[in-house]
Amino acid sequence: KEIEKMREVTSSCMMLTNVLNLNASQNAHLQNILEHFDDTSNTLVTTLREHRQSLMDELQKEHPDSVQIQLLTQEIGNTQTLLTRLASDQYLQIRKICDSSQQVKLSDFYCDMLGCPRMGCKEGDTCQKNGQQRHRHEGRKTIDEGRRK
């Protein structure tokens, strides 16, 4: 028998479904939300990658063009702004389908994704992540720390 082709579930969808413990109805809404944003986010990620590659190509030239570098960094910033706005819109849509305990988990998920401290967790605090305690900057060194050694 031919195997029925199953609809692909994205890793972010699976991660959110697991983290939020969504029911079937919520999961269907989540898939619709993610599909709605998918084409735009993929296009922006591709554009961002291309701009970054162009920037690196320019930086590696023997005589880099400072005007071109300025234009490319501006494009990278603009594209990153659009991606952040898209992530914010997506967050708000997903939050609407969550109950209050799921909203806290969603906030934690997005804080981790965006590199921000979780709710109630300030810079330098020990925070809970996936049931384990960890320091927010555990394992990271600043540039100054690296220079001191």
Side-chain angles (χ1 to χ4, degrees), residues 71-93:
L71 290 172
L72 287 167
T73 56
Q74 205 167 24
E75 285 300 315
I76 289 168
N78 292 341
T79 305
Q80 188 63 52
T81 298
L82 292 172
L83 269 171
T84 304
R85 187 176 306 143
L86 190 72
S88 300
D89 292 345
Q90 186 180 52
Y91 172 89
L92 293 172
Q93 291 296 313

Side-chain angles (χ1 to χ4, degrees), residues 51-70 72:
H51 288 320
R52 286 179 175 162
Q53 184 59 57
S54 295
L55 175 62
M56 285 309 304
D57 292 345
E58 188 63 39
L59 289 170
Q60 293 171 350
K61 289 180 179 178
E62 187 159 337
H63 301 288
D65 181 348
S66 61
V67 174
Q68 184 64 15
I69 291 169
Q70 184 178 2
L72 287 167

Side-chain angles (χ1 to χ4, degrees), residues 9-126:
V9 178
T10 64
S11 61
S12 58
C13 180
M14 288 174 52
M15 287 173 26
L16 278 170
T17 300
N18 291 336
V19 167
L20 300 177
N21 194 26
L22 299 176
N23 63 35
S25 173
Q26 289 173 312
N27 194 41
H29 285 298
L30 175 64
Q31 287 182 357
N32 288 336
I33 292 166
L34 295 178
E35 285 174 8
H36 173 76
F37 289 97
D38 198 37
D39 289 340
T40 306
S41 64
N42 286 339
T43 300
L44 289 172
V45 167
T46 299
T47 300
L48 186 59
R49 190 175 294 123
E50 289 168 355
H51 288 320
R52 286 179 175 162
Q53 184 59 57
S54 295
L55 175 62
M56 285 309 304
D57 292 345
E58 188 63 39
L59 289 170
Q60 293 171 350
K61 289 180 179 178
E62 187 159 337
H63 301 288
D65 181 348
S66 61
V67 174
Q68 184 64 15
I69 291 169
Q70 184 178 2
L71 290 172
L72 287 167
T73 56
Q74 205 167 24
E75 285 300 315
I76 289 168
N78 292 341
T79 305
Q80 188 63 52
T81 298
L82 292 172
L83 269 171
T84 304
R85 187 176 306 143
L86 190 72
S88 300
D89 292 345
Q90 186 180 52
Y91 172 89
L92 293 172
Q93 291 296 313
I94 295 170
R95 189 173 75 174
K96 288 178 184 178
I97 66 169
C98 295
D99 63 31
S100 59
S101 67
Q102 291 169 327
Q103 287 177 359
V104 172
K105 292 175 185 176
L106 177 67
S107 177
D108 287 345
F109 182 86
Y110 271 75
C111 284
D112 291 344
M113 183 178 74
L114 296 173
C116 302
R118 290 180 171 197
M119 288 177 50
C121 181
K122 294 188 174 40
E123 191 75 29
D125 286 352
T126 301

